[in-house]
Amino acid sequence: MKLIRIKAIARKEMLQVLRDPLSLGLAFVLPVMLLILFGYAITFDIKNISTVICDRDKSSLSRDYVSAVIESGYFTVAGRIDDETQVDAFLDSGEAKVAVIIPVDFSQNFRSNKPAEIAAIVDGSDSNTATIALGYLTAINEQFGRSPARHGPPPIDVRSRVWYNPELKSRNFIIPGLIVMIMAIIIALLTSLTIAREWERGTMEQLIATPVKPQELIIGKLVPYFVIGFSDTVLSVLMGTIIFDVPI
């Protein structure tokens, strides 16, 4: 192999890319579009879950619990009912995804250190949303169980600390993976199209007639797309940090 022939093929390929609007679009516009589209469309964060509240206790403590559920930011009150038999109507109609039922003896049991039960009925048609909603309610219950209104210390004091992505935003997990997937697709597409275009334009026969060896042709064609791929990766990382606030 001779370096001068590899440089000539690489220069030819780079000029061909710069003169081809389709190749430039695939190289720089498509990754940006895919990253923005998937970055906003793909998310596992679930908020504003429509919830129906059935407070049969009607005490200050039960109202505090309902406020804790609402102020968490994950649940939105779709209705308040007095009879738990009305829950099915809300869930069947789709007006609510979650129903929280507070029994009449909730505050009494809570203050006397007895098991204070709360019923949570979740629409299981969307298993992912149902699982996440139950997780939210479990966390709220654990936090509320440490309330000063409950005499005595909690049996177990659990303090979880997440160092990376403390808010558990799915975007911080998804965007880095998207960058890898998009780059793999775009670069593979560009490098495969370059050989196909040589046959379509009839220039492959001219290259075969030259002293260029097969390995020199492959390396010379890969060099420009390596530079393009590296530039796309830097662009994607900058977009992830600036637009989506992903900590890199």
Side-chain angles (χ1 to χ4, degrees), residues 4-223:
I4 188 171
R5 290 201 289 253
I6 295 176
K7 290 174 62 177
I9 293 296
R11 182 175 180 275
K12 164 197 167 299
E13 195 64 31
M14 183 61 73
L15 291 175
Q16 187 171 324
V17 171
L18 294 176
R19 294 171 182 173
D20 187 1
L22 178 60
S23 296
L24 288 176
L26 288 174
F28 296 104
V29 179
L30 189 58
V32 173
M33 292 177 59
L34 291 176
L35 191 61
I36 292 177
L37 178 63
F38 291 147
Y40 284 110
I42 302 176
T43 178
F44 298 108
D45 297 331
I46 298 178
K47 296 183 177 181
N48 299 321
I49 304 172
S50 56
T51 307
V52 58
I53 305 293
C54 179
D55 185 2
R56 299 181 58 194
D57 190 38
K58 298 188 183 302
S59 63
S60 60
L61 191 64
S62 65
R63 288 192 293 270
D64 290 342
Y65 177 79
V66 173
S67 298
V69 172
I70 298 173
E71 292 172 0
S72 66
Y74 300 115
F75 300 92
T76 302
V77 176
R80 296 176 183 267
I81 57 178
D82 297 324
D83 189 355
E84 56 189 77
T85 57
Q86 299 175 295
V87 168
D88 289 343
F90 277 86
L91 296 179
D92 292 341
S93 63
E95 295 182 46
K97 296 293 184 182
V98 178
V100 176
I101 303 174
I102 305 175
V104 292
D105 55 353
F106 171 73
S107 59
Q108 180 181 355
N109 291 337
F110 190 91
R111 289 191 172 94
S112 60
N113 286 336
K114 294 180 180 179
E117 298 180 351
I118 293 176
I121 302 176
V122 183
D123 182 3
S125 59
D126 185 349
S127 60
N128 182 58
T129 302
T131 303
I132 293 176
L134 287 176
Y136 290 156
L137 285 173
T138 301
I140 293 172
N141 291 342
E142 290 179 356
Q143 183 67 28
F144 194 80
R146 303 189 186 101
S147 171
R150 192 175 183 90
H151 303 292
I156 299 176
D157 185 9
V158 179
R159 299 184 183 183
S160 300
R161 181 179 179 185
V162 181
W163 287 4
Y164 174 77
N165 193 14
E167 298 179 2
L168 297 179
K169 295 181 179 178
S170 61
R171 183 177 297 173
N172 293 348
F173 295 113
I174 292 175
I175 296 299
L178 278 177
I179 293 175
V180 176
M181 293 299 298
I182 292 173
M183 291 303 101
I185 294 172
I186 296 302
I187 301 306
L189 182 63
L190 285 173
T191 51
S192 60
L193 284 177
T194 180
I195 300 296
R197 287 203 188 99
E198 294 288 1
W199 288 107
E200 290 177 356
R201 295 170 179 171
T203 55
M204 182 61 75
E205 288 81 359
Q206 298 175 4
L207 290 174
I208 294 174
T210 64
V212 177
K213 297 180 180 179
Q215 57 268 31
E216 294 172 344
L217 175 64
I218 293 174
I219 295 175
K221 283 184 169 295
L222 286 178
V223 168

